Amino acid sequence: MDRAEMEQGPALEISFDGESRLVPAYALPDLELAYAIICHKAQGSAFLKVIIPVVESRILDRTLIYVALTRAKRRVVFVGDH
């Protein structure tokens, strides 16, 4: 759905890194509160779902991805550039 279609009805405007997005009102019930935790603090813990941002960083390497990946019980989602 493009911005013009979303502007036709009520929506929530959100900003990620200075880029605005509209979330249509009908999608708001699907939103859930989430928390972020760094991998090193999560060692020894397990979570149902883990989202791993994959962006160019001097600290992101194979070992950090492995730690994040092994925290998930059911689902892992990698988000970032190819």
Side-chain angles (χ1 to χ4, degrees):
M1 178 176 295
D2 68 11
R3 188 175 191 92
E5 291 174 316
M6 288 166 102
E7 288 177 345
Q8 293 177 4
L12 173 68
E13 184 173 8
I14 56 176
S15 177
F16 292 107
D17 295 329
E19 189 175 324
S20 291
R21 302 286 176 130
L22 290 176
V23 178
Y26 66 80
L28 295 178
D30 295 329
L31 296 180
E32 293 183 31
L33 182 62
Y35 298 92
I37 186 169
I38 61 172
C39 293
H40 296 294
K41 290 210 178 237
Q43 283 186 324
S45 300
F47 304 93
L48 289 178
K49 300 172 188 172
V50 173
I51 300 172
I52 304 170
V54 181
V55 294
E56 190 171 324
S57 168
R58 60 185 173 81
I59 64 167
L60 183 66
D61 63 6
R62 290 175 20 181
T63 58
L64 190 62
I65 290 174
Y66 175 80
V67 170
L69 178 69
T70 58
R71 299 306 101 208
K73 289 183 175 181
R74 288 198 183 154
R75 179 174 292 168
V76 175
V77 178
F78 290 92
V79 178
D81 297 329
H82 193 272

